Amino acid sequence: MTDISFRVKKGETVGIIGGTGAGKSSLVHLIPRFYDVTEGEILLNGTDIRRFRRDEYYSLFAPVFQNVEIFAFPMSENVSMKRPEETDTVLAEECLKKAGMGEKLESLTDGVNTELLKVIHDDGVDLSGGEKQKLALARALYKDSPVIVLDEPTAALDALAEYRLYKSFDEIIGNKTAVYISHRLSSTRFCDAIAMFKAGEMVEYGTHEQLLSDGGAYAEMFEVQAQYYKDEEVTCVEG
């Protein structure tokens, strides 16, 4: 990957956009240092991230990826990922509600203490793909790291649920910094900045309005996706 030179400021939300194989996931795995760069460098406040202790650097990030592992624990412990005595149940419930799981919690007799999976408990609850992604976001909020990194965090959500999530995104993450990948450009309206990737390189960087005005790769991709949401004339024939 080459020519990556954008800056993410504290408290900003940056969206990473591009087609399949553009290098988006590689970037969001490099930022929290899941593996190291082979060329160039990634800096944190001007310091190469390879100079930091891994455990201290990892503590800065709360990642949310598409593949979400659920464990045969109560929901609260699935959020905290800590022992029962170390889990703040009230905080776990609050994070789940922020992540959009409020209605689900209300539907469960034991609420946040509901056992998940049927591995240990026959009445354990299985979550849908969208609910798993919301739980993963709740985990990130519970960890309370200053930076949230999300790789397609809404891939399993329907368009309406995704819209509601991103509309309240600033409220959900507060003053945290967020970097996330999305294939649905409707979500990029809520970003402070957008990085457009193509063939492993960042080809455009700016706000939604700026990139539309530039008429480049982002504007083209946005227009293609917009066609799916534009009203079309529908003719109904009885008979």
Side-chain angles (χ1 to χ4, degrees):
M1 189 179 296
T2 60
D3 295 334
I4 307 301
S5 58
F6 69 89
R7 294 185 177 184
V8 181
K9 297 179 182 178
K10 181 179 179 181
E12 277 192 341
T13 296
V14 177
I16 302 174
I17 307 299
T20 302
K24 306 182 301 298
S25 291
S26 295
L27 179 64
V28 298
H29 283 78
L30 286 169
I31 291 174
R33 204 186 169 191
F34 294 152
Y35 46 82
D36 286 328
V37 296
T38 54
E39 295 180 17
E41 58 186 1
I42 298 175
L43 307 178
L44 174 64
N45 295 334
T47 300
D48 191 315
I49 62 174
R50 289 169 290 191
R51 298 184 61 183
F52 294 100
R53 287 180 47 181
R54 280 188 180 271
D55 57 344
E56 293 182 353
Y57 187 72
Y58 286 162
S59 70
L60 300 176
F61 297 90
V64 180
F65 297 127
Q66 293 184 51
N67 297 324
V68 183
E69 294 293 338
I70 301 297
F71 302 94
F73 307 148
M75 191 178 294
S76 58
E77 291 168 42
N78 266 277
V79 172
S80 72
M81 297 305 298
K82 296 179 180 293
R83 299 172 183 273
E85 62 273 16
E86 298 174 337
T87 296
D88 185 334
T89 303
V90 174
L91 178 59
E93 183 173 4
E94 178 182 326
C95 292
L96 284 164
K97 289 180 177 178
K98 283 185 178 181
M101 286 283 279
E103 290 185 9
K104 182 66 175 182
L105 288 173
E106 291 178 2
S107 71
L108 300 172
T109 303
D110 294 326
V112 73
N113 296 312
T114 298
E115 296 285 348
L116 298 186
L117 304 181
K118 301 183 186 299
V119 177
I120 299 176
H121 301 272
D122 292 337
D123 59 348
V125 172
D126 291 320
L127 301 179
S128 68
E131 289 167 346
K132 288 179 181 178
Q133 286 194 315
K134 291 177 181 178
L135 188 143
L137 178 55
R139 282 177 181 166
L141 296 175
Y142 187 97
K143 186 179 179 182
D144 198 27
S145 295
V147 183
I148 297 180
V149 179
L150 310 100
D151 186 353
E152 287 286 353
T154 61
L157 301 182
D158 59 57
L160 181 58
E162 182 192 48
Y163 174 77
R164 288 172 176 168
L165 176 62
Y166 282 125
K167 190 174 182 180
S168 58
F169 197 70
D170 287 343
E171 180 182 347
I172 291 172
I173 66 171
N175 61 354
K176 300 180 187 301
T177 302
V179 179
Y180 74 84
I181 292 173
S182 179
H183 282 101
R184 295 174 182 168
L185 301 196
S186 57
S187 67
T188 57
R189 293 176 179 273
F190 311 108
C191 295
D192 296 299
I194 299 162
M196 179 74 190
F197 278 73
K198 193 172 184 179
E201 296 186 8
M202 186 183 72
V203 295
E204 294 179 309
Y205 188 78
T207 66
H208 171 75
E209 291 76 15
Q210 288 172 339
L211 297 186
L212 283 184
S213 178
D214 290 344
Y218 176 83
E220 180 181 356
M221 189 174 182
F222 187 87
E223 180 61 27
V224 169
Q225 291 196 13
Q227 295 298 322
Y228 292 103
Y229 302 102
K230 290 182 178 179
D231 292 334
E232 296 181 359
E233 182 179 352
V234 178
T235 301
C236 297
V237 179
E238 295 183 0

